[in-house]
């Protein structure tokens, strides 16, 4: 089964670009990579999903190298409201969902 | 508001007891997922149902069971409760189920405290 590893915490400043990397060495061929955001006392919220290369939506970009053993969530021009925990999720193809432990992102003014 | 509802919001009970958590998915979603979130273990996938049938099983203890009813709401039953079962339990729903990976919409959670 895939195991996901991500940094426990990160700090950045308003207006900066933030990149959070997740390692998933044992990712299966049919697994997808998904990122979620969670605020205190709320359920996680979907940010972005991808299989390979680069995916971009209105709030983030997801970079996945050819070997798919890692992925990087990129948040452009963060604001204070982006302070949250970010989770990497790998799975699907083998009927399993493996969540990372989460990265606590703190944005400073 | 994700459209997923969970009841109750808080639950306090004693060791050895049994509780039932309830979840109603978003309108149109056929799949329901259950998760346990505790401080020391993060989000743990427990089980997934699709249109009334169990589709995938994660790290769900034998003391725990779940089902999805014809109206698509789901219940998670936790029995012989232990102190370590104290956690936040989330339900999520999606249009389709595993192995397809859809965006999951999470409910507000049920906080279970076992004393």
């Amino acid at each position: 089964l895939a195991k996901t590893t991500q940094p426990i915490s990160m700090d950045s400043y308003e207006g900066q670009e933030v990149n959070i990397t997740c390692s998933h060495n044992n990712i299966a061929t049919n697994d997808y990579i998904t990122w979620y955001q969670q605020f205190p006392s709320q359920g996680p919220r979907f940010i972005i999903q991808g299989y390979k290369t680069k995916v971009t939506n209105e709030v983030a970009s997801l970079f996945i190298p050819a070997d798919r053993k890692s992925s990087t969530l990129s948040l452009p021009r963060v604001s204070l409201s982006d302070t949250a925990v970010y989770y990497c999720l790998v799975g699907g193809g083998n009927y399993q969902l493996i969540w990372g432990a989460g990265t606590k992102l703190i944005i400073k003014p | 508001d994700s459209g997923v509802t969970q009841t109750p919001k808080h639950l306090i009970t004693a060791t050895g007891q049994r509780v039932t958590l309830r979840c109603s998915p978003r309108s149109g979603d056929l799949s329901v997922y259950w998760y346990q979130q505790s401080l020391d273990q993060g989000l743990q996938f427990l089980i997934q149902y699709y249109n009334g049938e169990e589709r995938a099983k994660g790290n769900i203890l034998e003391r725990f069971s779940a089902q999805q009813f014809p109206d698509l709401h789901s219940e998670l039953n936790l029995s012989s409760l232990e102190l370590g079962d104290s956690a936040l339990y989330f339900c999520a729903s999606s249009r389709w189920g595993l192995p397809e990976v859809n965006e999951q919409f999470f409910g507000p959670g049920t906080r279970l405290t076992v004393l």
Side-chain angles (χ1 to χ4, degrees):
Chain A
L1 291 177
K3 178 182 176 182
T4 58
T5 304
Q6 50 183 127
I8 295 173
S9 64
M10 294 179 67
D11 290 353
S12 188
Y13 292 90
E14 281 192 293
Q16 299 294 305
E17 178 185 77
V18 171
N19 296 310
I20 306 174
T21 296
C22 180
S23 171
H24 28 80
N25 290 323
N26 296 326
I27 189 168
T29 301
N30 296 333
D31 284 343
Y32 277 75
I33 300 156
T34 314
W35 285 81
Y36 284 81
Q37 175 192 57
Q38 187 179 28
F39 297 110
S41 301
Q42 294 184 24
R45 187 173 65 178
F46 175 91
I47 301 173
I48 197 166
Q49 179 178 285
Y51 182 79
K52 62 180 179 180
T53 63
K54 177 183 175 181
V55 179
T56 298
N57 63 21
E58 63 276 10
V59 298
S61 294
L62 179 60
F63 299 91
I64 305 169
D67 66 4
R68 302 202 327 121
K69 293 185 177 182
S70 67
S71 59
T72 299
L73 172 71
S74 180
L75 304 172
R77 298 181 299 282
V78 293
S79 64
L80 295 176
S81 63
D82 292 316
T83 293
V85 179
Y86 292 81
Y87 289 95
C88 166
L89 166 64
V90 172
N94 57 357
Y95 292 84
Q96 283 298 317
L97 296 169
I98 309 298
W99 292 74
T103 298
K104 186 173 184 179
L105 176 64
I106 298 174
I107 305 301
K108 303 174 183 177
Chain B
D1 184 0
S2 67
V4 178
T5 60
Q6 288 187 249
T7 56
K9 190 173 178 63
H10 300 279
L11 198 49
I12 301 174
T13 188
T15 54
Q17 295 298 304
R18 173 190 170 93
V19 297
T20 297
L21 312 184
R22 182 188 169 102
C23 168
S24 292
R26 282 190 332 151
S27 176
D29 284 354
L30 300 175
S31 192
V32 169
Y33 308 75
W34 284 99
Y35 292 94
Q36 179 191 59
Q37 185 173 42
S38 53
L39 286 176
D40 60 347
Q41 290 194 1
L43 268 167
Q44 296 290 319
F45 167 59
L46 297 178
I47 198 164
Q48 182 230 336
Y49 280 82
Y50 175 75
N51 204 22
E53 294 186 359
E54 182 184 307
R55 180 65 68 90
K57 202 175 245 191
N59 300 320
I60 189 166
L61 300 173
E62 287 190 8
R63 301 184 285 110
F64 297 179
S65 64
Q67 54 184 326
Q68 186 180 27
F69 295 87
D71 67 352
L72 299 178
H73 91 271
S74 179
E75 293 181 355
L76 178 67
N77 301 297
L78 313 176
S79 62
S80 303
L81 285 168
E82 302 175 359
L83 295 177
D85 297 327
S86 295
L88 197 52
Y89 290 84
F90 285 108
C91 166
S93 74
S94 67
R95 181 67 179 94
W96 307 109
L98 294 174
E100 289 195 39
V101 184
N102 302 166
E103 175 178 353
Q104 294 178 49
F105 296 85
F106 281 76
T110 293
R111 182 167 295 281
L112 173 66
T113 302
V114 182
L115 301 176

